[in-house]
Amino acid sequence: MIATGKRAIQDGKQYDHLFDRPKGKNIQKKKEAGVSDTVSLMKSVIRKTRLDTLKIAKVLKRSSVRKTCKAIWEFCFNHFQYTKDADGIEQVRRPSRSWADRTAGIDCDCFTVLIGSILSNLEIPFVIRLARYTRSQFEHVYPVVITKQGEEIIIDCVVHAFDYQVNY
């Protein structure tokens, strides 16, 4: 299995000007959230927060969808710490809040919202993949780009490799 979890992240202050400072906490929490609750909330936050990632999306755009996806993964992996939410509590942050909280860490829901917002700005279609490994319920989520040729590009910033998914 590939490594997941905590890692050394880069400072990233050169990107501060690309993210507005969030007002307040801007964190939505739900105790005992179900899968449909969380996915519905994530989709809503992605739609409502595209302006949060408009500037960074332009910086990360490359000459192809694959290269753009890799640039997004590298940026997120190298500048955001991963921290799992407490069991039974789901926090879904808007991208500007994720940037502010990046050294403390964000979880897979927040990574998915952040990346989904960037992809939406770049008009790159994606799906939200839910996965489970050892539990009976879903325990992980990440975006997957489906190219025009039908190729899947995994953008899971919890694992330590681009375009890789842990078997689920």
Side-chain angles (χ1 to χ4, degrees):
M1 179 146 109
I2 200 153
T4 62
K6 298 284 185 193
R7 61 214 177 216
I9 62 169
Q10 296 173 9
D11 178 76
K13 289 186 184 196
Q14 70 272 31
Y15 300 109
D16 281 345
H17 70 284
L18 300 175
F19 292 91
D20 291 337
R21 291 198 181 266
K23 296 177 178 92
K25 288 283 181 188
N26 294 335
I27 299 175
Q28 301 198 27
K29 297 181 184 182
K30 184 165 185 177
K31 291 183 179 181
E32 303 304 328
V35 172
S36 62
D37 294 324
T38 303
V39 172
S40 178
L41 179 57
M42 290 168 54
K43 288 178 179 179
S44 173
V45 174
I46 289 168
R47 279 191 305 273
K48 293 176 182 175
T49 62
R50 286 182 58 181
L51 283 177
D52 284 20
T53 60
L54 184 61
K55 295 174 191 170
I56 193 66
K58 291 175 183 176
V59 170
L60 298 173
K61 184 169 176 50
R62 300 292 186 268
S63 61
S64 71
V65 170
R66 172 165 278 289
K67 288 176 182 177
T68 299
C69 290
K70 186 171 186 186
I72 293 167
W73 182 88
E74 288 172 343
F75 173 77
C76 292
F77 182 84
N78 290 317
H79 293 95
F80 292 82
Q81 186 60 259
Y82 168 71
T83 301
K84 187 179 179 305
D85 278 346
D87 285 340
I89 302 282
E90 287 300 331
Q91 299 182 52
V92 178
R93 294 168 176 85
R94 64 181 303 135
S96 61
R97 171 53 56 191
S98 289
W99 181 254
D101 294 348
R102 67 193 181 78
T103 57
I106 63 173
D107 75 336
C108 59
D109 302 345
C110 300
F111 271 121
T112 300
V113 167
L114 171 68
I115 294 164
S117 181
I118 294 168
L119 291 169
S120 293
N121 274 306
L122 297 172
E123 299 181 1
I124 297 174
F126 67 96
V127 297
I128 295 173
R129 177 159 295 159
L130 298 166
R132 65 177 176 230
Y133 306 101
T134 58
R135 299 179 183 179
S136 60
Q137 73 269 13
F138 292 104
E139 52 194 299
H140 188 48
V141 61
Y142 50 94
V144 178
V145 168
I146 311 292
T147 67
K148 290 178 182 175
Q149 296 77 26
E151 174 192 15
E152 289 189 353
I153 303 172
I154 310 301
I155 311 178
D156 185 353
C157 293
V158 174
V159 297
H160 293 208
F162 169 67
D163 198 17
Y164 179 86
Q165 65 186 349
V166 176
N167 290 332
Y168 57 92

